[in-house]
Amino acid sequence: MPALSFHLYLPNLDQLTRSLATKEKTSSSNVPTTVNTYTPESGLPPPFSADDDASSIPPPVRCPPHTTPRRMTSRIDSHVVPFLCILYLLAFLDRVNIANARAFGLESDLGILGDGVKFNTALTIFFVPYVLLEIPSNILLKKFSPRLWLSICCLGFGLVSICQGLVQNYAGLLVTRFFLGVFECGMFPGCFYLLGMWYRRDEAQKRFSLFFSSTSLAGAFGGLLASAIGKMDGMRGFRGWRWIFILEGVLTFVVGLVFLFTFPSFPEEAKWLTEEERDYIKARLQADQGHSAAERKITFADIKAVMSDFKVHLGAFMYLGLIVPAYSYAYFSPTILATYHYSPIQTQLHSVPPWAAAFGFAMMVAVGSDWIRHRFLFAIGAICVSLAGFAILFNVHNDINVEYGALFLVAMGTYSAMPVIVCWFNMNLGGHHRRAIGSAWQIGFGNIGGIIATYSFVTTDAPLYKKGYSICVSFTCLSALSCILYALAVTRENRKRSKTAHNVGLTESEKTELGDLNPEFRYML
């Protein structure tokens, strides 16, 4: 790749490492450089250069004798991944079920039928707290533990969803959508943050994609559920759209109560692990990513340092570019399908297959990405699939079967590229403090795209929606460009670090403070 200069990733890093190297390290010769260890059970080479002094590499991480690495990973999967998938499925369901409710008379009952801008505004207001409160939420998550904080969030957005089914006017809808954003804002970055603290980089993509694909399952499940609940129209005096909000909100609230006692936390707090198993999990992660500094509080200086790294902003633009087509599809696919002259029930049922296809394709991409230990080309490939779908939708207007097939491509490409991008960026952030801040910033800034998406497809543009498709294509290309720049940046940084001295005299504490800015850290491409 071209040797572009990305020297300004942290203004004073070179000065910092040089000054630290000149300090007297009275104990450094006795402190093992654990960031250079690796896990031989992965079958992978050490994460650092072969030029490293062999005497500086400590013994490999040993698994407790009563178990095996594969069994430990399976135990982690069973104690972490299902909970996160269920939480995100419910959150996404409560977030986008307004699109299903629209097909069952929400606009006419609230007096906004024919005024597409008001409905779009109701979608937009959700993202205001979603954008502003991401970083504070991740800081609180670390302070109170994921089990408590994310369970409270689940209870909150479940209760708000119930209230959404009871509103009597447009103002009430706006208020409930705002507070839905307040309670949901911490869930998505918090779950990615938690996942990143359990898995090595070479095994994370499958778990990230399975978690993220809960959106696809939620879309499919939401369409089926809405088609069934819609038949309750008029029961106990409630319209079908109200039952969609109420029943799905009750389900979420009940699950939140269960999560208060069962939801997972960080490895350091996991009570289902023995002390020996806990030490092993921490050691294997430290070998792959460096010391996590779980015990350390996040400060304003940490936020400032993370935000001064330009790669963090590239990560945010990678995500922003895909949020626009992702939310456009989630919110407006029933509206687009309705232009194919399906009945309300048939519209919901036809929304299911593209989501199911997106789930299967995302998992195929994830398995391949983990197997090859590469992210960039998989992200770009999935983005190209999405662009192909939008190209068909933009140009074909007289063949319903072809247009419906294009929706498959859009869903498959968009919802496969997003988890790759989020995993790639998150797992390239070292340490609790940098990952908590960086992941929240990526999701928070990226969700500005949700505001754009809600105004991309308006009633006056039906049935062709050319403006909406053009906006989606533009932002998808922005994501692709940001991915390319990020790939160049991390490649350039890896080459730069490989050419410099490996032992710059940093203590373990100083390496922890630097996180992925530690000269011994290597980014994954």
Side-chain angles (χ1 to χ4, degrees):
M1 292 186 180
L4 299 181
S5 176
F6 292 100
H7 184 68
L8 298 178
Y9 72 101
L10 185 64
N12 297 315
L13 177 59
D14 290 340
Q15 294 91 327
L16 173 63
T17 54
R18 281 196 297 268
S19 64
L20 290 173
T22 61
K23 292 181 180 179
E24 183 179 1
K25 311 295 183 186
T26 58
S27 61
S28 61
S29 60
N30 298 322
V31 179
T33 312
T34 53
V35 79
N36 275 346
T37 62
Y38 69 101
T39 48
E41 70 269 16
S42 67
L44 300 170
F48 304 113
S49 171
D51 296 331
D52 285 336
D53 182 5
S55 63
S56 69
I57 302 177
V61 176
R62 300 297 182 186
C63 184
H66 65 274
T67 186
T68 65
R70 183 182 294 275
R71 288 177 182 173
M72 282 301 302
T73 303
S74 297
R75 286 188 67 198
I76 295 172
D77 288 341
S78 63
H79 282 83
V80 176
V81 176
F83 291 93
L84 299 184
C85 289
I86 292 172
L87 177 64
Y88 191 38
L89 185 151
L90 293 173
F92 194 79
L93 193 64
D94 289 346
R95 184 186 316 168
V96 303
N97 57 10
I98 189 172
N100 302 113
R102 186 185 194 185
F104 287 100
L106 178 146
E107 291 176 295
S108 59
D109 282 6
L110 298 184
I112 59 173
L113 184 64
D115 190 339
V117 174
K118 283 190 174 182
F119 179 80
N120 292 70
T121 301
L123 301 181
T124 301
I125 199 169
F126 167 87
F127 291 99
V128 175
Y130 210 90
V131 170
L132 297 178
L133 301 179
E134 298 275 4
I135 292 179
S137 178
N138 259 15
I139 294 174
L140 290 173
L141 178 142
K142 187 175 184 298
K143 179 179 177 63
F144 292 113
S145 88
R147 179 187 61 80
L148 181 60
W149 182 248
L150 293 179
S151 297
I152 291 174
C153 290
C154 184
L155 289 169
F157 63 73
L159 184 61
V160 172
S161 185
I162 296 172
C163 294
Q164 199 172 201
L166 302 176
V167 298
Q168 300 299 317
N169 51 47
Y170 179 62
L173 181 64
L174 293 180
V175 171
T176 53
R177 293 297 296 180
F178 178 85
F179 280 100
L180 193 67
V182 169
F183 285 107
E184 282 197 24
C185 70
M187 185 277 313
F188 190 50
C191 287
F192 272 125
Y193 172 27
L194 179 59
L195 270 176
M197 304 317 298
W198 278 99
Y199 294 100
R200 297 196 313 259
R201 287 182 291 179
D202 61 286
E203 62 190 12
Q205 186 61 65
K206 292 188 291 292
R207 281 81 183 182
F208 270 68
S209 290
L210 181 60
F211 163 72
F212 196 93
S213 293
S214 301
T215 59
S216 303
L217 295 177
F221 179 64
L224 290 172
L225 194 59
S227 64
I229 296 176
K231 297 177 182 179
M232 297 173 62
D233 193 23
M235 185 178 294
R236 296 186 179 274
F238 286 156
R239 292 292 306 276
W241 67 268
R242 293 187 184 276
W243 282 116
I244 291 175
F245 289 131
I246 293 171
L247 293 182
E248 293 177 3
V250 169
L251 174 63
T252 301
F253 189 84
V254 171
V255 171
L257 289 175
V258 176
F259 280 176
L260 274 174
F261 305 97
T262 60
F263 203 80
S265 287
F266 297 120
E268 297 82 4
E269 305 167 357
K271 296 181 180 179
W272 51 272
L273 293 172
T274 66
E275 192 64 33
E276 190 178 21
E277 291 170 341
R278 191 178 294 112
D279 290 341
Y280 165 69
I281 290 174
K282 289 191 292 185
R284 71 197 289 271
L285 292 177
Q286 186 174 341
D288 181 57
Q289 304 170 31
H291 198 283
S292 68
E295 71 287 347
R296 181 184 175 287
K297 291 184 178 180
I298 297 175
T299 65
F300 180 77
D302 293 324
I303 299 175
K304 184 178 179 181
V306 172
M307 299 307 293
S308 67
D309 184 352
F310 83 103
K311 297 190 297 299
V312 171
H313 300 289
L314 285 177
F317 277 105
M318 288 192 294
Y319 188 67
L320 169 70
L322 287 181
I323 275 289
V324 175
Y327 275 119
S328 293
Y329 183 84
Y331 281 130
F332 298 106
S333 59
T335 303
I336 294 170
L337 285 167
T339 64
Y340 302 161
H341 308 295
Y342 297 128
S343 68
I345 298 295
Q346 284 296 316
T347 295
Q348 305 303 329
L349 293 176
H350 276 81
S351 71
V352 174
W355 287 114
F359 174 79
F361 188 67
M363 293 313 302
M364 289 174 58
V365 169
V367 170
S369 180
D370 268 352
W371 184 51
I372 299 177
R373 298 190 81 241
H374 185 87
R375 305 288 184 244
F376 170 62
L377 292 179
F378 286 91
I380 292 296
I383 286 173
C384 289
V385 173
S386 179
L387 287 173
F390 280 118
I392 294 172
L393 290 171
F394 190 85
N395 292 286
V396 177
H397 308 295
N398 55 4
D399 192 327
I400 291 178
N401 292 328
V402 174
E403 294 176 70
Y404 185 50
L407 292 178
F408 279 77
L409 296 178
V410 169
M412 290 164 59
T414 303
Y415 286 93
S416 298
M418 289 179 75
V420 174
I421 284 172
V422 174
C423 179
W424 183 23
F425 174 73
N426 275 256
M427 301 305 284
N428 272 344
L429 293 170
H432 263 268
H433 56 295
R434 284 185 60 81
R435 187 166 295 167
I437 298 166
S439 62
W441 172 248
Q442 182 190 42
I443 305 302
F445 180 83
N447 273 288
I448 294 174
I451 298 175
I452 299 170
T454 57
Y455 286 107
S456 297
F457 290 79
V458 294
T459 305
T460 54
D461 292 336
L464 301 183
Y465 294 113
K466 285 199 171 185
K467 183 177 73 174
Y469 296 142
S470 298
I471 292 172
C472 288
V473 168
S474 300
F475 276 91
T476 304
C477 290
L478 171 64
S479 179
L481 175 62
S482 300
C483 287
I484 293 170
L485 294 177
Y486 183 76
L488 291 173
V490 297
T491 301
R492 168 68 175 175
E493 191 58 42
N494 283 344
R495 289 178 177 175
K496 177 182 175 183
R497 293 179 186 183
S498 296
K499 293 178 181 178
T500 58
H502 299 296
N503 184 7
V504 294
L506 299 176
T507 65
E508 288 302 309
S509 175
E510 290 160 347
K511 292 174 183 176
T512 297
E513 289 301 305
L514 288 172
D516 58 280
L517 300 180
N518 171 13
E520 295 177 356
F521 187 95
R522 294 297 182 270
Y523 295 103
M524 176 180 278
L525 179 63

